[in-house]
Amino acid sequence: MGMLVYLTRRLISLFLSLVVASMVIFLVVEVAPGDPASYMLGINAQPDTIAALRTELGLDQPKLQRYFSWVTGMMTGDFGTSYTYRAPVAQMIADRMWISLPLALMALTLSALIAFPAGLLAASKRGKAGDVSVMAATQLGVAIPNFWFAMLLVLLFAIKLRWVSAGGFAGWDNPMAAIKSLTLPAIALALPQAAILTRVLRSALIDTLSEDFMRTARAKGLTRGQTLWRHGLRNALIPVLTILGLQFSFLLAGAIIIEQVFYLPGLGRLIFQSITQRDLIVVESVVMLLVFAVIVVNFLTDLAYALVDPRLRSRA
Amino acid sequence: MNRSLLLGACLSAIFLLGALLSFVWTPADVGAMDIPNRLKSPDFHHLLGTDHFGRDLLSMIMVGARTSIAVAVVAVGIGMGAGVPLGLAAAAHSGGMIDEFISRGNDLIFAFPSLVIAILITASFGAGAINAIIAIGIFNIPVFARLTRGAALSLWQREFILAARVAGKSTTRISAEHILPNIANLLIVQGTIQFSLGILAEAGLSYVGLGAQPPTPSWGRMLADAQTMVALAPHVAIVPGLAIVSMVLGLNLLGDGLRDRLDPKLRVMRT
């Protein structure tokens, strides 16, 4: 029962967030200066040619009507047609998604793989050399811009050592080559995030370690390691899950910039291309898709911790 | 004095002084090109080397610090200026309509991927420092609103606030005269952290060409220019990056140090 009420409330707020998000994105793009039709036809275009193209693209319709057709279109998977490429936006997004999504997921996995051992080490050796060095490394990690780190990786692994190519994407026909070209970008994305995650995990574990039930677990004969593993980690997982959820949004957004460093033809490059060509419909749809992904992931994170911690259901 | 406060304060002061000094003096003219001396490694004449136009990198870093600091300071100002009053209002009317409205609004902005929206805003309204400031500033508002609300809520339970209410002060006056001074420390610490995040955000935006436009030097664009040159002259990519890292590290250490010094009990979530 508690779970059902919780789920309903969260679903309503999820829906409202999406509605507001779509309105904000539409408004920002619509009020922006620059007419796509005149941009496409160049400065020498005749006014009547521009008007004809505006009609063709549906730009002459009232804003409200265009908003609704955009939103209802997206719900049925129709993201409209790109002004410049005259291709369905949905198809363009789908093609590029195969780079950005694996990249974000690889980075998320990497950051968890680094952060969990590092956070556990720091928390269990609190105040000792291991903890101090992990914390110093994270302090540096949060200060490094990921695109600069990416450039350093290129300098070392592509230019000096020649282990990988400096950029570009080989395509998924050859999965090994594809993963190889995503490796450096994923490391660049993951490291600063791993630093944040390590800090959160460490402080959550330290908080949990001081709880009474941890002492009880020790008293009933579990070793330090067993208590940390069975009771500490599970309880510390709640703040960690929140951060992991938030990180997904950072990783998607970060991927946009990292794709520029490695010349990866992902969603990020699509956004920047469309921005320079004033291909509004593509910009709107890609941004909406990213925001949608982030809001839904945060929603799923909330659900996940309602499952991990039953206490949260009643509190919500 | 604790070590992180000292180190953080020193690093931050170096950049601040460098930026201020650049208004009256730089080692070389930042606009002056010197093609024969392009991509020079650091030497006695150019302490940090030169870029692909032969411009002195140290001078560009100094002038670039102005851009970074200005963007971050104003963005934090926007966040505090709007966020703190909103947080105070929400706490003063806790549980009411105003609180509900402000808190849901905060949740909503938090759910947005800030960098994507910053890109959308700067791309739609034109690339430039002003739009970058607005885009970064908007996402600082909920940070300060949430922090202020949380801290103010616990203060409203205290006896001295009750005394002020009994004395007949209005909620607005209590918020301004009693709540605000008591949460100032917390706001300063968070301000430092947002400042460092602002530096990183500005660097990211100008790296993709959406921040300050030429000829205004900015660290992010120096990195973007360096990208194609990295194989020829690694220092052009390393120098601006180190500047960003040192400044951000300095501010973070300063924030940590201030937090410990101002109130050891305070624990600010850093995400």
Side-chain angles (χ1 to χ4, degrees), chain B residues 7-33:
Chain B
L7 184 61
C10 285
L11 275 175
S12 312
I14 289 172
F15 283 100
L16 193 61
L17 291 176
L20 289 175
L21 182 63
S22 76
F23 281 105
V24 290
W25 177 82
T26 49
D29 180 2
V30 278
M33 294 187 193

Side-chain angles (χ1 to χ4, degrees), chain B residues 37 48 153-154 157 199 216:
Chain B
N37 280 317
L48 297 178
L153 268 183
S154 65
Q157 311 296 326
I199 302 263
T216 315

